[in-house]
Amino acid sequence: MNFFSLLGRGFLKILSDCGGIFLFFLKSLIYSFSPPYRFRLLIKHMEFIGVKSWLVVILTSLFSGMVTAYQVNIALSKVGSQSILGGVVALTLTRELGPVLTAVVVIARAGSAISAELGSMRITEQIDALKIMAVNPIQYLMSPRLWAAILVLPLLTAIADLVGIAGGYFIGTFLLNIDPGLLTARMIDMVELKDIMSGIVKSIFFGAYLVTVCGYKGFYASGGAEGVGKATTEAVVISTVGILVSDYILTTIFF
Amino acid sequence: MITIKELKKSFNGFEVLKGVNLIIPENKVIFIMGQSGTGKSVLLKHIVGLLKPDSGEIWFENKDITKLSEKELQKVRRKIGFLFQEGALFDSMTVKENVMFPLKEHFKMSKAEMEKVAEELLSVVDLLPAKDKYPSELSGGMKKRAALARTLALKPQIVLFDEPTTGLDPILQVSILELIKNLKEKYNLTCVIVSHDLSLAFKFADYIAFLHGGIIIEIGTPEEIKASTNEFIKKFIESALL
Ligand SMILES: Nc1ncnc2c1ncn2[C@@H]1O[C@H](COP(=O)(O)OP(=O)(O)OP(=O)(O)O)[C@@H](O)[C@H]1O
Ligand SMILES: [Mg+2]
C-alpha cells in the first residue's frame, strides 16, 4: 500500500469517527427529552464528575494562577506596569486557563473512567442486556452523563477561575509587593462580565464534547479487556487534543 | 410462534449461519444443540434483534424482526426474554437491584412491591442469601441463576436461554430445568434452550433442533432424534452416552 492510500484511509477513518461522535451526541441529547427522565442518575453522575475532579481542579488552577502571575510579572516589570498584573492574570484564567485546565482535569479523572466503564459494559454484554430489557442504552447511559457534564463543568470552571485568581493575588501582593488595593482596582477595571461568560460558555461546550467522545469510545469498544484499554487511551487523547484545538477555534471565531 | 427463514450471517467473511430455517412453536420447550462455535448464540441474538442478518427473515406476530427499527424492537423485546450465556449482570448493582431493574423500568410499582417480587424470584432460583452481593462476588453458577431471575422478572411470553445450565452442578441443573418447565406450564411460556447436555434435552424437550455446519440439520421430538439416521447426530448421541 502506498503512502497516499494510507493517508486517505486515515483521513476517512477520522471523518467517520467525527460523524459517529456527532450522531452519538445528537442521540444522547434528543433521548434526554423523552421519558423516562433520569434525575437520579443525573445527580449521581454530577456527583461523580464533581467529586472526582474538584480537588485536582483546585490544585492545578491554584498553581497555574501563581505561576502565571510570576511569569506575567517578569514581562510587566520590563515596561513598568506591574499594577495591571491582577487584571492580566484574571483575564488569562477566566478566558483561557480556567475552562481548558478544568476540561483536561475532568478528562483525566472522570472522562477516562466513563470510557472504561462503558467499555467494560460493552464487552461483558451489559449494554446488550439493557437493550434486551427494552431500555434504550444511550438514553440510560449517556443522556444523564451529558447533562451532568454540561452542568458541572461551568461550576468547576468557576471554582478554577476563583482559586487561580486568588493564587495570582497571593503572589502579587505577598511575593511581588504590589499594592493590594491597586491590584484589585485594576483587576475590576479590566475584567468584564463578558470575559467571564466567554470562559463559562466554552466550558459548557467542553463538557458536552469530552463526555460525548469518552462515552462514544467506550460505548463502541470491542476486543476484550485490551480493547477497553485502547478505547480509554484513544478517548483521552482525542478529547484532550480536541479541547485544545476547538478552544483556539472558539476563541478566534466567537470570543 | 417464531418462524426463521433462510437466515445468513457472516463475520469478516466467515459464514457462521448459512441459511437457517426453523419454526419455534408456541408453548413448547425447544432445545437447540450443536457443537461449540457453530453459531447457537449468534442465532439467538438474531431473534431478539441484537444482531442483524446478512439476509433472511424472522417472523414474529406478523412482523419481520430483522427489519424493525430499535423503537419497534423495544416492543418485541418486552415479550421476548433473553438469558445471556455469561449472565451480563450489571456489575454496579447488587443481585437484588439487578432483578429489580427491569421492574423499575417497565412497571409502576412501589419500592416495597418491587423488592417483594425480586425476593420471590431470587428464592425461586435459590439465591436469596446472596441478594445483597455484587456480581463480582458470585460464582459462575450463581451469576447464571441471578440472570435467570432478572430475565423472568419481565414476565416474557418467549424466553431464549443461552446455556442456562452449563457450569452448574447436576442437582441445580435439574432443578433449574424443572423450574423452567413449571414456569412454562404456569405462564404458557415458549422456551428456547441452548444446551450441550443431551440427557437433559431428552428429559425436558418437546423438540430438539441440531445446528451443524451453519444450518439446522434436523428437528424432532426426543424419540425422533434418538432414532435419527444422520451421521452427525448419531455421533453426538454416542459421544454423549460414553
Ligand atoms: N461479534 C462477533 N464477531 C466476530 N465473530 C463472531 C462474533 N460472534 C460470534 N462470532 C463467531 O461466530 C461463531 C459462532 O459463535 P457462537 O458464539 O454463536 O457459538 P456457540 O455455538 O454459541 O458456541 P458455544 O457453545 O461455545 O457457546 C464463532 O466462530 C465465533 O467466532
Ligand atoms: Mg454460545
Side-chain angles (χ1 to χ4, degrees), chain B residues 25-80:
Chain B
E26 243 159 83
N27 305 340
K28 299 282 184 222
V29 175
I30 172 166
F31 271 65
I32 297 178
M33 315 202 70
Q35 284 183 289
S36 186
T38 45
K40 303 182 294 297
S41 300
V42 170
L43 177 59
L44 287 197
K45 283 180 187 165
H46 279 91
I47 301 177
V48 282
L50 284 178
L51 289 173
K52 293 274 176 214
D54 300 335
S55 65
E57 299 165 0
I58 301 174
W59 289 88
F60 173 67
E61 294 186 338
N62 298 320
K63 285 190 198 110
D64 181 357
I65 289 178
T66 62
K67 307 265 181 329
L68 295 183
S69 68
E70 276 296 314
K71 199 159 191 156
E72 294 166 308
L73 272 175
Q74 284 205 351
K75 289 192 203 118
V76 171
R77 286 167 179 158
R78 286 288 310 271
K79 298 176 186 162
I80 307 184

Side-chain angles (χ1 to χ4, degrees), chain A:
Chain A
M1 211 186 314
N2 69 34
F3 173 73
F4 288 105
S5 77
L6 261 180
L7 199 73
R9 203 171 271 213
F11 186 65
L12 282 181
K13 165 99 170 60
I14 292 174
L15 270 190
S16 84
D17 249 14
C18 286
I21 288 170
F22 187 64
L23 208 65
F24 195 62
F25 165 74
L26 283 184
K27 283 184 183 167
S28 317
L29 187 68
I30 291 166
Y31 294 153
S32 70
F33 295 114
S34 62
Y37 305 107
R38 304 184 182 279
F39 291 113
R40 268 197 189 189
L41 285 179
L42 174 67
I43 302 292
K44 187 181 137 193
H45 293 309
M46 284 176 73
E47 192 190 337
F48 177 79
I49 297 175
V51 167
K52 264 207 160 216
S53 313
W54 70 271
L55 194 60
V56 189
V57 166
I58 284 181
L59 282 175
T60 36
S61 55
L62 178 66
F63 282 97
S64 304
M66 287 177 8
V67 81
T68 309
Y70 214 89
Q71 296 281 27
V72 166
N73 177 61
I74 293 174
L76 291 181
S77 61
K78 292 188 180 168
V79 291
S81 48
Q82 275 159 303
S83 64
I84 64 168
L85 176 83
V88 174
V89 170
L91 281 179
T92 321
L93 272 155
T94 53
R95 295 184 60 100
E96 283 303 324
L97 285 183
V100 171
L101 282 178
T102 304
V104 172
V105 168
V106 170
I107 290 169
R109 300 283 295 172
S112 57
I114 289 171
S115 184
E117 183 178 345
L118 296 196
S120 92
M121 287 187 76
R122 164 64 68 187
I123 60 159
T124 55
E125 298 182 311
Q126 291 175 53
I127 291 181
D128 286 340
L130 283 170
K131 284 195 194 172
I132 286 303
M133 288 184 272
V135 174
N136 180 334
I138 296 184
Q139 204 250 5
Y140 182 79
L141 296 171
M142 282 308 297
S143 300
R145 284 183 166 93
L146 176 66
W147 281 105
I150 287 177
L151 293 172
V152 170
L153 264 273
L155 289 178
L156 288 173
T157 301
I159 295 176
D161 291 353
L162 210 68
V163 173
I165 291 171
Y169 179 88
F170 173 79
I171 294 292
T173 51
F174 287 91
L175 250 66
L176 307 171
N177 293 320
I178 302 169
D179 177 52
L182 194 59
L183 192 115
T184 318
R186 300 301 297 270
M187 180 155 46
I188 291 170
D189 279 350
M190 287 170 73
V191 182
E192 294 171 57
L193 186 64
K194 88 171 204 295
D195 295 314
I196 299 174
M197 284 320 288
S198 84
I200 297 293
V201 171
K202 267 187 196 170
S203 77
I204 293 174
F205 171 83
F206 290 163
Y209 172 77
L210 73 90
V211 87
T212 304
V213 171
C214 292
Y216 176 83
K217 282 288 163 187
F219 196 87
Y220 293 108
S222 63
E226 197 188 331
V228 176
K230 206 174 129 224
T232 307
T233 311
E234 277 180 15
V236 169
V237 172
I238 295 178
S239 47
T240 310
V241 173
I243 293 279
L244 297 175
V245 173
S246 63
D247 178 51
Y248 174 79
I249 297 172
L250 284 176
T251 302
T252 48
I253 297 181
F254 296 112
F255 310 118

